[in-house]
PDB file of all heavy atoms in Angstrom:
ATOM      1  N   ALA J   1      91.620 103.777 104.345  1.00 95.00           N
ATOM      2  CA  ALA J   1      92.761 102.935 103.977  1.00 95.00           C
ATOM      3  C   ALA J   1      92.366 101.832 103.009  1.00 95.00           C
ATOM      4  O   ALA J   1      93.190 100.973 102.686  1.00 95.00           O
ATOM      5  CB  ALA J   1      93.387 102.323 105.232  1.00 95.00           C
ATOM      6  N   HIS J   2      91.123 101.863 102.535  1.00 95.00           N
ATOM      7  CA  HIS J   2      90.670 100.831 101.606  1.00 95.00           C
ATOM      8  C   HIS J   2      91.103 101.133 100.171  1.00 95.00           C
ATOM      9  O   HIS J   2      91.324 102.287  99.802  1.00 95.00           O
ATOM     10  CB  HIS J   2      89.141 100.701 101.672  1.00 95.00           C
ATOM     11  CG  HIS J   2      88.678  99.776 102.754  1.00 95.00           C
ATOM     12  ND1 HIS J   2      88.012  98.605 102.516  1.00 95.00           N
ATOM     13  CD2 HIS J   2      88.810  99.854 104.106  1.00 95.00           C
ATOM     14  CE1 HIS J   2      87.738  98.006 103.648  1.00 95.00           C
ATOM     15  NE2 HIS J   2      88.213  98.749 104.637  1.00 95.00           N
ATOM     16  N   SER J   3      91.159 100.090  99.367  1.00 92.00           N
ATOM     17  CA  SER J   3      91.625 100.211  97.979  1.00 92.00           C
ATOM     18  C   SER J   3      90.474 100.539  97.031  1.00 92.00           C
ATOM     19  O   SER J   3      90.197  99.812  96.085  1.00 92.00           O
ATOM     20  CB  SER J   3      92.310  98.910  97.551  1.00 92.00           C
ATOM     21  OG  SER J   3      93.475  98.684  98.311  1.00 92.00           O
ATOM     22  N   TYR J   4      89.810 101.658  97.285  1.00 92.00           N
ATOM     23  CA  TYR J   4      88.711 102.039  96.406  1.00 92.00           C
ATOM     24  C   TYR J   4      89.213 102.652  95.093  1.00 92.00           C
ATOM     25  O   TYR J   4      88.460 102.775  94.145  1.00 92.00           O
ATOM     26  CB  TYR J   4      87.781 103.034  97.104  1.00 92.00           C
ATOM     27  CG  TYR J   4      87.135 102.476  98.346  1.00 92.00           C
ATOM     28  CD1 TYR J   4      87.268 103.126  99.567  1.00 92.00           C
ATOM     29  CD2 TYR J   4      86.394 101.301  98.301  1.00 92.00           C
ATOM     30  CE1 TYR J   4      86.684 102.620 100.706  1.00 92.00           C
ATOM     31  CE2 TYR J   4      85.806 100.780  99.444  1.00 92.00           C
ATOM     32  CZ  TYR J   4      85.950 101.444 100.644  1.00 92.00           C
ATOM     33  OH  TYR J   4      85.377 100.932 101.762  1.00 92.00           O
ATOM     34  N   HIS J   5      90.447 103.083  95.067  1.00 92.00           N
ATOM     35  CA  HIS J   5      91.005 103.675  93.840  1.00 92.00           C
ATOM     36  C   HIS J   5      92.268 102.940  93.433  1.00 92.00           C
ATOM     37  O   HIS J   5      92.314 102.294  92.409  1.00 92.00           O
ATOM     38  CB  HIS J   5      91.280 105.164  94.051  1.00 92.00           C
ATOM     39  CG  HIS J   5      91.605 105.902  92.791  1.00 92.00           C
ATOM     40  ND1 HIS J   5      90.779 105.901  91.681  1.00 92.00           N
ATOM     41  CD2 HIS J   5      92.676 106.661  92.447  1.00 92.00           C
ATOM     42  CE1 HIS J   5      91.316 106.634  90.725  1.00 92.00           C
ATOM     43  NE2 HIS J   5      92.470 107.099  91.149  1.00 92.00           N
ATOM     44  N   GLY J   6      93.285 103.008  94.260  1.00 93.00           N
ATOM     45  CA  GLY J   6      94.470 102.192  94.031  1.00 93.00           C
ATOM     46  C   GLY J   6      94.217 100.782  94.542  1.00 93.00           C
ATOM     47  O   GLY J   6      93.088 100.415  94.870  1.00 93.00           O
ATOM     48  N   SER J   7      95.252  99.985  94.621  1.00 94.00           N
ATOM     49  CA  SER J   7      95.107  98.643  95.195  1.00 94.00           C
ATOM     50  C   SER J   7      96.427  98.224  95.825  1.00 94.00           C
ATOM     51  O   SER J   7      97.501  98.663  95.395  1.00 94.00           O
ATOM     52  CB  SER J   7      94.689  97.624  94.127  1.00 94.00           C
ATOM     53  OG  SER J   7      95.786  97.226  93.343  1.00 94.00           O
ATOM     54  N   GLU J   8      96.327  97.369  96.849  1.00 95.00           N
ATOM     55  CA  GLU J   8      97.538  96.846  97.478  1.00 95.00           C
ATOM     56  C   GLU J   8      98.393  96.084  96.477  1.00 95.00           C
ATOM     57  O   GLU J   8      99.629  96.139  96.517  1.00 95.00           O
ATOM     58  CB  GLU J   8      97.157  95.917  98.631  1.00 95.00           C
ATOM     59  CG  GLU J   8      96.507  96.611  99.815  1.00 95.00           C
ATOM     60  CD  GLU J   8      96.072  95.624 100.874  1.00 95.00           C
ATOM     61  OE1 GLU J   8      96.729  94.576 101.005  1.00 95.00           O
ATOM     62  OE2 GLU J   8      95.078  95.895 101.566  1.00 95.00           O
ATOM     63  N   GLU J   9      97.726  95.350  95.544  1.00 96.00           N
ATOM     64  CA  GLU J   9      98.477  94.508  94.618  1.00 96.00           C
ATOM     65  C   GLU J   9      99.396  95.333  93.718  1.00 96.00           C
ATOM     66  O   GLU J   9     100.599  95.094  93.659  1.00 96.00           O
ATOM     67  CB  GLU J   9      97.518  93.684  93.749  1.00 96.00           C
ATOM     68  CG  GLU J   9      96.747  92.630  94.499  1.00 96.00           C
ATOM     69  CD  GLU J   9      95.324  93.056  94.822  1.00 96.00           C
ATOM     70  OE1 GLU J   9      95.121  94.264  95.073  1.00 96.00           O
ATOM     71  OE2 GLU J   9      94.435  92.193  94.806  1.00 96.00           O
ATOM     72  N   HIS J  10      98.809  96.299  93.002  1.00 96.00           N
ATOM     73  CA  HIS J  10      99.689  96.981  92.047  1.00 96.00           C
ATOM     74  C   HIS J  10     100.534  98.066  92.710  1.00 96.00           C
ATOM     75  O   HIS J  10     101.632  98.385  92.236  1.00 96.00           O
ATOM     76  CB  HIS J  10      98.902  97.500  90.821  1.00 96.00           C
ATOM     77  CG  HIS J  10      98.086  98.731  91.015  1.00 96.00           C
ATOM     78  ND1 HIS J  10      96.741  98.712  91.307  1.00 96.00           N
ATOM     79  CD2 HIS J  10      98.423 100.033  90.892  1.00 96.00           C
ATOM     80  CE1 HIS J  10      96.271  99.930  91.359  1.00 96.00           C
ATOM     81  NE2 HIS J  10      97.273 100.764  91.113  1.00 96.00           N
ATOM     82  N   ASN J  11     100.092  98.621  93.837  1.00 97.00           N
ATOM     83  CA  ASN J  11     100.921  99.602  94.538  1.00 97.00           C
ATOM     84  C   ASN J  11     102.154  98.955  95.165  1.00 97.00           C
ATOM     85  O   ASN J  11     103.237  99.546  95.185  1.00 97.00           O
ATOM     86  CB  ASN J  11     100.101 100.308  95.615  1.00 97.00           C
ATOM     87  CG  ASN J  11      99.247 101.435  95.056  1.00 97.00           C
ATOM     88  OD1 ASN J  11      99.484 101.912  93.954  1.00 97.00           O
ATOM     89  ND2 ASN J  11      98.254 101.851  95.819  1.00 97.00           N
ATOM     90  N   SER J  12     102.009  97.737  95.692  1.00 98.00           N
ATOM     91  CA  SER J  12     103.168  97.070  96.296  1.00 98.00           C
ATOM     92  C   SER J  12     104.230  96.765  95.238  1.00 98.00           C
ATOM     93  O   SER J  12     105.433  96.915  95.484  1.00 98.00           O
ATOM     94  CB  SER J  12     102.737  95.800  97.021  1.00 98.00           C
ATOM     95  OG  SER J  12     102.104  94.892  96.149  1.00 98.00           O
ATOM     96  N   ARG J  13     103.793  96.353  94.075  1.00 98.00           N
ATOM     97  CA  ARG J  13     104.751  96.103  92.992  1.00 98.00           C
ATOM     98  C   ARG J  13     105.441  97.404  92.570  1.00 98.00           C
ATOM     99  O   ARG J  13     106.619  97.416  92.204  1.00 98.00           O
ATOM    100  CB  ARG J  13     104.051  95.467  91.789  1.00 98.00           C
ATOM    101  CG  ARG J  13     103.383  94.130  92.088  1.00 98.00           C
ATOM    102  CD  ARG J  13     102.883  93.461  90.829  1.00 98.00           C
ATOM    103  NE  ARG J  13     103.986  92.843  90.112  1.00 98.00           N
ATOM    104  CZ  ARG J  13     103.900  92.398  88.864  1.00 98.00           C
ATOM    105  NH1 ARG J  13     102.771  92.519  88.190  1.00 98.00           N
ATOM    106  NH2 ARG J  13     104.947  91.838  88.286  1.00 98.00           N
ATOM    107  N   ALA J  14     104.679  98.509  92.625  1.00 97.00           N
ATOM    108  CA  ALA J  14     105.243  99.799  92.219  1.00 97.00           C
ATOM    109  C   ALA J  14     106.370 100.235  93.141  1.00 97.00           C
ATOM    110  O   ALA J  14     107.367 100.814  92.680  1.00 97.00           O
ATOM    111  CB  ALA J  14     104.137 100.856  92.207  1.00 97.00           C
ATOM    112  N   VAL J  15     106.243  99.993  94.436  1.00 98.00           N
ATOM    113  CA  VAL J  15     107.297 100.396  95.372  1.00 98.00           C
ATOM    114  C   VAL J  15     108.599  99.669  95.044  1.00 98.00           C
ATOM    115  O   VAL J  15     109.672 100.284  94.990  1.00 98.00           O
ATOM    116  CB  VAL J  15     106.863 100.128  96.827  1.00 98.00           C
ATOM    117  CG1 VAL J  15     108.030 100.405  97.785  1.00 98.00           C
ATOM    118  CG2 VAL J  15     105.666 101.000  97.201  1.00 98.00           C
ATOM    119  N   ILE J  16     108.503  98.372  94.800  1.00 98.00           N
ATOM    120  CA  ILE J  16     109.718  97.636  94.431  1.00 98.00           C
ATOM    121  C   ILE J  16     110.267  98.148  93.103  1.00 98.00           C
ATOM    122  O   ILE J  16     111.484  98.331  92.941  1.00 98.00           O
ATOM    123  CB  ILE J  16     109.435  96.124  94.356  1.00 98.00           C
ATOM    124  CG1 ILE J  16     109.229  95.556  95.766  1.00 98.00           C
ATOM    125  CG2 ILE J  16     110.590  95.393  93.670  1.00 98.00           C
ATOM    126  CD1 ILE J  16     109.104  94.058  95.828  1.00 98.00           C
ATOM    127  N   ASN J  17     109.389  98.411  92.156  1.00 97.00           N
ATOM    128  CA  ASN J  17     109.846  98.902  90.856  1.00 97.00           C
ATOM    129  C   ASN J  17     110.581 100.230  90.989  1.00 97.00           C
ATOM    130  O   ASN J  17     111.581 100.474  90.308  1.00 97.00           O
ATOM    131  CB  ASN J  17     108.647  99.056  89.915  1.00 97.00           C
ATOM    132  CG  ASN J  17     109.072  99.357  88.498  1.00 97.00           C
ATOM    133  OD1 ASN J  17     109.913  98.679  87.928  1.00 97.00           O
ATOM    134  ND2 ASN J  17     108.500 100.396  87.914  1.00 97.00           N
ATOM    135  N   ARG J  18     110.115 101.089  91.890  1.00 97.00           N
ATOM    136  CA  ARG J  18     110.767 102.395  92.066  1.00 97.00           C
ATOM    137  C   ARG J  18     112.205 102.238  92.547  1.00 97.00           C
ATOM    138  O   ARG J  18     113.102 102.961  92.108  1.00 97.00           O
ATOM    139  CB  ARG J  18     109.978 103.251  93.052  1.00 97.00           C
ATOM    140  CG  ARG J  18     110.579 104.636  93.272  1.00 97.00           C
ATOM    141  CD  ARG J  18     109.749 105.506  94.191  1.00 97.00           C
ATOM    142  NE  ARG J  18     110.389 106.800  94.368  1.00 97.00           N
ATOM    143  CZ  ARG J  18     110.213 107.857  93.588  1.00 97.00           C
ATOM    144  NH1 ARG J  18     109.371 107.768  92.560  1.00 97.00           N
ATOM    145  NH2 ARG J  18     110.842 108.994  93.798  1.00 97.00           N
ATOM    146  N   TYR J  19     112.426 101.270  93.436  1.00 97.00           N
ATOM    147  CA  TYR J  19     113.753 101.128  94.034  1.00 97.00           C
ATOM    148  C   TYR J  19     114.631 100.089  93.347  1.00 97.00           C
ATOM    149  O   TYR J  19     115.848 100.245  93.283  1.00 97.00           O
ATOM    150  CB  TYR J  19     113.614 100.768  95.517  1.00 97.00           C
ATOM    151  CG  TYR J  19     113.149 101.920  96.374  1.00 97.00           C
ATOM    152  CD1 TYR J  19     111.807 102.094  96.661  1.00 97.00           C
ATOM    153  CD2 TYR J  19     114.052 102.848  96.878  1.00 97.00           C
ATOM    154  CE1 TYR J  19     111.371 103.163  97.436  1.00 97.00           C
ATOM    155  CE2 TYR J  19     113.632 103.921  97.649  1.00 97.00           C
ATOM    156  CZ  TYR J  19     112.288 104.074  97.929  1.00 97.00           C
ATOM    157  OH  TYR J  19     111.871 105.129  98.695  1.00 97.00           O
ATOM    158  N   LEU J  20     114.034  99.009  92.863  1.00 97.00           N
ATOM    159  CA  LEU J  20     114.820  97.893  92.337  1.00 97.00           C
ATOM    160  C   LEU J  20     114.565  97.610  90.860  1.00 97.00           C
ATOM    161  O   LEU J  20     115.250  96.782  90.265  1.00 97.00           O
ATOM    162  CB  LEU J  20     114.536  96.622  93.149  1.00 97.00           C
ATOM    163  CG  LEU J  20     114.918  96.675  94.630  1.00 97.00           C
ATOM    164  CD1 LEU J  20     114.453  95.407  95.344  1.00 97.00           C
ATOM    165  CD2 LEU J  20     116.421  96.865  94.795  1.00 97.00           C
ATOM    166  N   GLY J  21     113.566  98.251  90.269  1.00 96.00           N
ATOM    167  CA  GLY J  21     113.281  98.023  88.863  1.00 96.00           C
ATOM    168  C   GLY J  21     112.437  96.784  88.641  1.00 96.00           C
ATOM    169  O   GLY J  21     111.965  96.134  89.575  1.00 96.00           O
ATOM    170  N   TYR J  22     112.257  96.421  87.364  1.00 95.00           N
ATOM    171  CA  TYR J  22     111.311  95.370  86.997  1.00 95.00           C
ATOM    172  C   TYR J  22     111.867  93.955  87.178  1.00 95.00           C
ATOM    173  O   TYR J  22     111.123  92.985  87.184  1.00 95.00           O
ATOM    174  CB  TYR J  22     110.883  95.537  85.542  1.00 95.00           C
ATOM    175  CG  TYR J  22     112.015  95.366  84.549  1.00 95.00           C
ATOM    176  CD1 TYR J  22     112.357  94.105  84.071  1.00 95.00           C
ATOM    177  CD2 TYR J  22     112.757  96.457  84.111  1.00 95.00           C
ATOM    178  CE1 TYR J  22     113.408  93.928  83.185  1.00 95.00           C
ATOM    179  CE2 TYR J  22     113.806  96.292  83.223  1.00 95.00           C
ATOM    180  CZ  TYR J  22     114.136  95.037  82.756  1.00 95.00           C
ATOM    181  OH  TYR J  22     115.183  94.868  81.890  1.00 95.00           O
ATOM    182  N   TRP J  23     113.193  93.815  87.323  1.00 96.00           N
ATOM    183  CA  TRP J  23     113.795  92.474  87.325  1.00 96.00           C
ATOM    184  C   TRP J  23     113.742  91.866  88.716  1.00 96.00           C
ATOM    185  O   TRP J  23     114.044  92.522  89.723  1.00 96.00           O
ATOM    186  CB  TRP J  23     115.249  92.559  86.858  1.00 96.00           C
ATOM    187  CG  TRP J  23     115.916  91.228  86.695  1.00 96.00           C
ATOM    188  CD1 TRP J  23     115.370  90.085  86.190  1.00 96.00           C
ATOM    189  CD2 TRP J  23     117.267  90.897  87.052  1.00 96.00           C
ATOM    190  NE1 TRP J  23     116.288  89.066  86.191  1.00 96.00           N
ATOM    191  CE2 TRP J  23     117.464  89.531  86.721  1.00 96.00           C
ATOM    192  CE3 TRP J  23     118.323  91.611  87.600  1.00 96.00           C
ATOM    193  CZ2 TRP J  23     118.671  88.880  86.930  1.00 96.00           C
ATOM    194  CZ3 TRP J  23     119.530  90.980  87.803  1.00 96.00           C
ATOM    195  CH2 TRP J  23     119.705  89.623  87.467  1.00 96.00           C
ATOM    196  N   ASP J  24     113.378  90.583  88.799  1.00 96.00           N
ATOM    197  CA  ASP J  24     113.303  89.889  90.084  1.00 96.00           C
ATOM    198  C   ASP J  24     114.609  89.186  90.442  1.00 96.00           C
ATOM    199  O   ASP J  24     114.662  88.444  91.426  1.00 96.00           O
ATOM    200  CB  ASP J  24     112.139  88.892  90.097  1.00 96.00           C
ATOM    201  CG  ASP J  24     112.307  87.768  89.074  1.00 96.00           C
ATOM    202  OD1 ASP J  24     113.327  87.763  88.349  1.00 96.00           O
ATOM    203  OD2 ASP J  24     111.410  86.907  88.985  1.00 96.00           O
ATOM    204  N   ALA J  25     115.655  89.403  89.662  1.00 95.00           N
ATOM    205  CA  ALA J  25     117.004  88.862  89.898  1.00 95.00           C
ATOM    206  C   ALA J  25     117.134  87.389  89.543  1.00 95.00           C
ATOM    207  O   ALA J  25     118.166  86.768  89.824  1.00 95.00           O
ATOM    208  CB  ALA J  25     117.481  89.107  91.329  1.00 95.00           C
ATOM    209  N   ASN J  26     116.127  86.815  88.912  1.00 95.00           N
ATOM    210  CA  ASN J  26     116.242  85.476  88.351  1.00 95.00           C
ATOM    211  C   ASN J  26     116.653  85.638  86.891  1.00 95.00           C
ATOM    212  O   ASN J  26     115.909  86.227  86.100  1.00 95.00           O
ATOM    213  CB  ASN J  26     114.898  84.756  88.449  1.00 95.00           C
ATOM    214  CG  ASN J  26     114.929  83.357  87.854  1.00 95.00           C
ATOM    215  OD1 ASN J  26     115.875  82.984  87.167  1.00 95.00           O
ATOM    216  ND2 ASN J  26     113.890  82.597  88.105  1.00 95.00           N
ATOM    217  N   PRO J  27     117.831  85.138  86.484  1.00 96.00           N
ATOM    218  CA  PRO J  27     118.266  85.320  85.099  1.00 96.00           C
ATOM    219  C   PRO J  27     117.259  84.823  84.071  1.00 96.00           C
ATOM    220  O   PRO J  27     117.217  85.320  82.946  1.00 96.00           O
ATOM    221  CB  PRO J  27     119.570  84.522  85.035  1.00 96.00           C
ATOM    222  CG  PRO J  27     120.085  84.540  86.430  1.00 96.00           C
ATOM    223  CD  PRO J  27     118.871  84.489  87.308  1.00 96.00           C
ATOM    224  N   ALA J  28     116.402  83.864  84.454  1.00 95.00           N
ATOM    225  CA  ALA J  28     115.407  83.350  83.511  1.00 95.00           C
ATOM    226  C   ALA J  28     114.375  84.397  83.130  1.00 95.00           C
ATOM    227  O   ALA J  28     113.726  84.297  82.092  1.00 95.00           O
ATOM    228  CB  ALA J  28     114.693  82.137  84.115  1.00 95.00           C
ATOM    229  N   THR J  29     114.224  85.430  83.971  1.00 94.00           N
ATOM    230  CA  THR J  29     113.250  86.491  83.680  1.00 94.00           C
ATOM    231  C   THR J  29     113.917  87.777  83.192  1.00 94.00           C
ATOM    232  O   THR J  29     113.230  88.765  82.967  1.00 94.00           O
ATOM    233  CB  THR J  29     112.403  86.813  84.931  1.00 94.00           C
ATOM    234  OG1 THR J  29     113.251  87.388  85.935  1.00 94.00           O
ATOM    235  CG2 THR J  29     111.727  85.571  85.473  1.00 94.00           C
ATOM    236  N   LEU J  30     115.216  87.748  83.034  1.00 94.00           N
ATOM    237  CA  LEU J  30     115.924  88.973  82.638  1.00 94.00           C
ATOM    238  C   LEU J  30     115.662  89.324  81.179  1.00 94.00           C
ATOM    239  O   LEU J  30     115.459  90.481  80.829  1.00 94.00           O
ATOM    240  CB  LEU J  30     117.424  88.813  82.882  1.00 94.00           C
ATOM    241  CG  LEU J  30     118.292  90.044  82.647  1.00 94.00           C
ATOM    242  CD1 LEU J  30     117.804  91.232  83.454  1.00 94.00           C
ATOM    243  CD2 LEU J  30     119.739  89.725  82.986  1.00 94.00           C
ATOM    244  N   ALA J  31     115.650  88.327  80.323  1.00 94.00           N
ATOM    245  CA  ALA J  31     115.321  88.534  78.906  1.00 94.00           C
ATOM    246  C   ALA J  31     114.405  87.394  78.470  1.00 94.00           C
ATOM    247  O   ALA J  31     114.793  86.535  77.668  1.00 94.00           O
ATOM    248  CB  ALA J  31     116.583  88.584  78.057  1.00 94.00           C
ATOM    249  N   PRO J  32     113.185  87.362  79.007  1.00 95.00           N
ATOM    250  CA  PRO J  32     112.309  86.213  78.770  1.00 95.00           C
ATOM    251  C   PRO J  32     111.760  86.197  77.347  1.00 95.00           C
ATOM    252  O   PRO J  32     111.743  87.213  76.652  1.00 95.00           O
ATOM    253  CB  PRO J  32     111.176  86.430  79.781  1.00 95.00           C
ATOM    254  CG  PRO J  32     111.121  87.914  79.956  1.00 95.00           C
ATOM    255  CD  PRO J  32     112.546  88.381  79.861  1.00 95.00           C
ATOM    256  N   LEU J  33     111.291  85.041  76.934  1.00 95.00           N
ATOM    257  CA  LEU J  33     110.564  84.934  75.678  1.00 95.00           C
ATOM    258  C   LEU J  33     109.305  85.782  75.746  1.00 95.00           C
ATOM    259  O   LEU J  33     108.713  85.954  76.817  1.00 95.00           O
ATOM    260  CB  LEU J  33     110.153  83.479  75.416  1.00 95.00           C
ATOM    261  CG  LEU J  33     111.235  82.489  74.982  1.00 95.00           C
ATOM    262  CD1 LEU J  33     110.675  81.073  75.023  1.00 95.00           C
ATOM    263  CD2 LEU J  33     111.759  82.821  73.594  1.00 95.00           C
ATOM    264  N   SER J  34     108.883  86.297  74.606  1.00 95.00           N
ATOM    265  CA  SER J  34     107.576  86.939  74.536  1.00 95.00           C
ATOM    266  C   SER J  34     106.507  85.878  74.756  1.00 95.00           C
ATOM    267  O   SER J  34     106.699  84.700  74.416  1.00 95.00           O
ATOM    268  CB  SER J  34     107.379  87.608  73.180  1.00 95.00           C
ATOM    269  OG  SER J  34     108.324  88.629  72.981  1.00 95.00           O
ATOM    270  N   LEU J  35     105.383  86.300  75.308  1.00 94.00           N
ATOM    271  CA  LEU J  35     104.308  85.348  75.600  1.00 94.00           C
ATOM    272  C   LEU J  35     103.868  84.584  74.357  1.00 94.00           C
ATOM    273  O   LEU J  35     103.597  83.392  74.411  1.00 94.00           O
ATOM    274  CB  LEU J  35     103.111  86.079  76.215  1.00 94.00           C
ATOM    275  CG  LEU J  35     102.992  86.024  77.736  1.00 94.00           C
ATOM    276  CD1 LEU J  35     101.848  86.898  78.206  1.00 94.00           C
ATOM    277  CD2 LEU J  35     102.805  84.594  78.213  1.00 94.00           C
TER     278      LEU J  35
END
């Protein structure tokens, strides 16, 4: 169950992305400035 290949950090974000997409529902991040 260790993260020798994947990781908890990026896999957890992936699950949300699969169901809810990239937006966190804060309008400030919906169309943010480029870095």
Side-chain angles (χ1 to χ4, degrees):
H2 274 244
S3 296
Y4 299 124
H5 191 55
S7 79
E8 292 176 31
E9 292 101 326
H10 76 264
N11 279 342
S12 59
R13 300 188 78 193
V15 174
I16 288 187
N17 189 50
R18 181 177 179 88
Y19 287 94
L20 297 174
Y22 64 87
W23 186 39
D24 64 0
N26 179 348
T29 66
L30 186 55
L33 286 170
S34 297
L35 261 174

